[in-house]
Amino acid sequence: MADVNNVTLVGRLTRDLNASDQREFAYTATGVARANISIAVSTRRRNGDQWVEESNYFNVTVFGKTAESLKPYFTKGKQIAVEGSLKQDRWQDQATGKTRDRVYIIANNIQLLGGGNMNGGGQPSGGYAQNFRPAQQGGFDAAPSPSYDDSAFGGGADQGFQEDIPF
C-alpha cells in the first residue's frame, strides 16, 4: 500500500505578507515565486463545563503563479483554505550540535474564503476586488447587475400559485 501525505486546513493568516522581505516572498534561482505564510487554525473543545478555544499555527509555502497572484491578498486575518502536503527539514545546529527540524506545508491549492478583519470604514481589509467582472463584461469598475429574471424566482406579481400545497 502506498503512503499518503495530504493535508487540508482552513484558517486565518497570522500576518500580512511582506513582499520586500526575502524570507517571506522571493524568487528561486530558477525564477519561480515563493511565498512563506503562516495560518492559525482554531478549534473548540469542552473542558468540564467550559468551552476552550485552542489555536494551532502552521507555516505554509506557496510556489509559482499562485504565490504571485495571491500576494496582495495575503493579509492578516484573511481566511484561506490550504490543501497540500507536509514537508520536514532536518539540519545540524552549528552552535549546539543538536539535530533540529521543522515541519511545514507545501501548498498545492489555496482558496480565499470569507473576509478578513474589518477596518474602520466598514470595508473588508484584504485586497478584495469589490466589483469584479471578467474582462469581456467591463472590467473591475463595472456595476454589478443581476443575470436572472426576477419573475422566475417568485418576484412577478401574477404567478397563479394556489395557497394550499397538496401534500
Side-chain angles (χ1 to χ4, degrees):
M1 175 176 219
D3 295 334
V4 176
N5 182 0
N6 193 19
V7 167
T8 303
L9 297 171
V10 174
R12 295 192 179 271
L13 293 166
T14 61
R15 65 182 183 275
D16 291 345
L17 179 68
N18 183 357
S20 62
D21 185 352
Q22 292 289 315
R23 293 173 294 178
E24 291 189 28
F25 186 86
Y27 289 90
T28 65
T30 59
V32 176
R34 177 202 35 85
N36 290 326
I37 59 175
S38 177
I39 63 170
V41 178
S42 297
T43 57
R44 289 180 46 164
R45 66 175 177 83
R46 194 168 180 95
N47 186 6
D49 292 340
Q50 303 253 354
W51 283 97
V52 178
E53 187 167 317
E54 296 176 342
S55 294
N56 293 292
Y57 300 91
F58 300 96
N59 292 320
V60 179
T61 301
V62 185
F63 285 101
K65 297 253 185 229
T66 304
E68 286 180 319
S69 62
L70 293 180
K71 181 171 51 170
Y73 300 101
F74 287 148
T75 57
K76 183 177 181 176
K78 179 71 178 157
Q79 187 179 39
I80 65 171
V82 176
E83 180 184 342
S85 58
L86 295 175
K87 171 107 171 81
Q88 181 179 28
D89 287 340
R90 287 191 177 186
W91 67 95
Q92 194 76 23
D93 189 343
Q94 298 294 335
T96 63
K98 292 183 179 180
T99 301
R100 308 259 324 209
D101 66 293
R102 78 176 186 136
V103 176
Y104 57 100
I105 299 164
I106 301 290
N108 297 327
N109 185 21
I110 291 195
Q111 292 181 349
L112 301 176
L113 301 176
N117 295 334
M118 298 299 253
N119 61 20
Q123 294 294 321
S125 64
Y128 288 90
Q130 290 291 329
N131 292 319
F132 175 76
R133 292 280 184 249
Q136 67 270 18
Q137 293 181 4
F140 286 96
D141 295 325
S145 61
S147 60
Y148 59 87
D149 180 14
D150 281 341
S151 63
F153 295 99
D158 186 22
Q159 290 293 322
F161 291 120
Q162 294 178 343
E163 292 293 321
D164 294 329
I165 299 174
F167 54 84

